[in-house]
């Protein structure tokens, strides 16, 4: 039994909110040990709990959208990711986490790219939002505020550029505030790609993520992606974004 490795594995999963630290049974760890270099350590992904109720982001994101988005769309990415990793995959080892998988994603099956990205991106997205029933002004503070102001000039200008990137993303994808070589940047990715993926359109560490797939807003906003975005700013959890810095 390699305790350090088990610890790393658990920590990596726990950091994504995927498991609590003891959620992987010792028995499962032992089974994984026996599979050798083509182990299946990542085929146990579970749907993380939301940090709020399905109606917690009302009136900006509606309950039905949240329920379907989380319990159906996100769940499906997880089921398909687990399925893709339920057989030995060349290039995936015991030591891998989603992050290390992303760093070599061009060599892996596209189902791992799409469903691994789907799981990672949604897990992050849920945690970057919080309830704001009263619609009180919701702004970044501290180091994050300073960094945004120094790069974009003002928070309003940052919002404008982020919104433009979200409107410009054709079809399905994600918009990101991310950090590249320590500098804040705005960009977008198609499908379930993210800036951690080798050969993605942008590269860096995700800080803020916005899902612009139609399934994220269609029930309430129909084709009006711009209204979805302008309402979404009300539920951004800037403390959680700051923690990504
Ligand atoms: Mn989505």
């Amino acid at each position: 039994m390699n305790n350090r490795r088990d610890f790393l594995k658990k920590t990596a999963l726990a950091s994504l909110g995927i498991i609590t630290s003891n959620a992987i049974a010792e028995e499962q760890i032992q089974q994984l040990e026996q599979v050798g270099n083509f182990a299946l350590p990542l085929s146990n992904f579970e749907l993380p709990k939301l940090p709020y109720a399905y109606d917690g982001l009302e009136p900006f994101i509606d309950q039905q959208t949240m329920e379907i988005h989380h319990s159906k769309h996100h769940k499906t990415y997880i089921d398909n990711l687990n399925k893709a990793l339920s057989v030995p995959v060349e290039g995936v080892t015991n030591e891998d986490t989603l992050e290390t998988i992303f760093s070599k994603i061009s060599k892996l099956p596209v189902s791992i790219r799409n469903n691994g990205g789907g799981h990672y991106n949604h897990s992050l997205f849920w945690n970057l939002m919080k309830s704001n029933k009263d619609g009180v002004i919701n702004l970044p503070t501290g180091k994050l505020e300073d960094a945004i102001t120094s790069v974009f000039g003002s928070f309003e200008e940052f919002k404008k550029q982020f919104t433009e990137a979200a409107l410009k993303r054709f079809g399905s994808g994600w918009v990101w505030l991310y950090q590249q070589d320590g500098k804040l940047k705005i960009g977008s990715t198609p499908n379930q790609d993210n800036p951690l993926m080798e050969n993605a359109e942008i590269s860096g560490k995700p800080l803020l993520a916005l899902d612009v797939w139609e399934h994220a807003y269609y029930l309430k906003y129909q084709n009006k992606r711009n209204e979805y975005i302008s309402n979404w700013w009300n539920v951004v959890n800037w403390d959680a974004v700051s923690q990504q810095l």
Side-chain angles (χ1 to χ4, degrees):
M1 181 74 72
N2 182 337
N3 288 325
R4 183 179 162 272
R5 213 194 60 196
D6 295 343
F7 174 76
L8 291 174
K9 195 186 294 168
K10 286 182 180 177
T11 309
L13 294 172
S15 75
L16 266 176
I18 291 155
I19 57 160
T20 59
S21 59
N22 292 316
I24 293 189
E26 283 307 309
E27 192 184 312
Q28 283 171 290
I29 297 271
Q30 278 170 8
Q31 283 170 4
L32 297 175
E33 289 293 332
Q34 291 158 11
V35 193
N37 205 36
F38 286 112
L40 317 169
L42 299 172
S43 59
N44 290 309
F45 289 110
E46 287 175 13
L47 188 64
K49 273 199 160 163
L50 294 182
Y52 34 76
Y54 283 132
D55 66 356
L57 304 181
E58 292 267 13
F60 307 107
I61 301 180
D62 61 288
Q63 176 174 354
Q64 193 185 16
T65 296
M66 286 304 296
E67 188 162 355
I68 295 172
H69 200 175
H70 177 256
S71 71
K72 306 283 189 229
H73 290 280
H74 188 174
K75 174 76 162 43
T76 301
Y77 295 122
I78 293 168
D79 291 346
N80 289 335
L81 176 62
N82 286 337
K83 196 173 156 203
L85 291 168
S86 68
V87 293
V89 178
E90 196 178 345
V92 178
T93 73
N94 275 337
E95 280 74 21
D96 277 311
T97 63
L98 273 182
E99 281 96 336
T100 62
I101 280 183
F102 292 156
S103 72
K104 55 188 172 188
I105 200 74
S106 71
K107 297 164 203 81
L108 300 177
V110 72
S111 62
I112 295 180
R113 183 186 197 112
N114 290 338
N115 294 297
H119 178 37
Y120 182 92
N121 297 350
H122 286 88
S123 300
L124 185 64
F125 184 51
W126 308 138
N127 285 322
L128 296 175
M129 296 187 287
K130 66 170 188 181
S131 192
N132 183 4
K133 300 260 184 216
D134 304 323
V136 292
I137 292 170
N138 189 17
L139 297 169
T141 56
K143 271 188 193 163
L144 180 63
E145 180 191 11
D146 295 345
I148 285 175
T149 308
S150 83
V151 173
F152 303 102
S154 67
F155 179 70
E156 282 309 310
E157 180 59 26
F158 158 71
K159 249 174 94 169
K160 190 174 148 232
Q161 290 185 26
F162 192 95
T163 302
E164 279 168 9
L167 294 173
K168 238 171 56 186
R169 169 50 58 187
F170 184 77
S172 297
W174 290 77
V175 189
W176 307 90
L177 173 68
Y178 64 104
Q179 216 171 5
Q180 188 184 56
D181 301 325
K183 202 190 168 196
L184 297 193
K185 295 191 172 184
I186 291 168
S188 73
T189 51
N191 306 315
Q192 295 294 350
D193 279 10
N194 66 48
L196 295 172
M197 286 180 182
E198 177 200 16
N199 78 0
E201 290 180 16
I202 55 175
S203 171
K205 184 176 180 244
L207 302 180
L208 176 62
L210 173 61
D211 188 341
V212 294
W213 283 56
E214 280 190 346
H215 69 224
Y217 62 87
Y218 198 84
L219 290 176
K220 184 177 171 76
Y221 296 103
Q222 292 83 47
N223 58 320
K224 291 164 280 187
R225 187 186 281 187
N226 57 339
E227 274 186 31
Y228 159 65
I229 300 161
S230 65
N231 279 292
W232 169 76
W233 292 109
N234 288 286
V235 292
V236 174
N237 183 346
W238 289 110
D239 290 337
V241 181
S242 285
Q243 281 169 24
Q244 296 288 116
L245 257 185

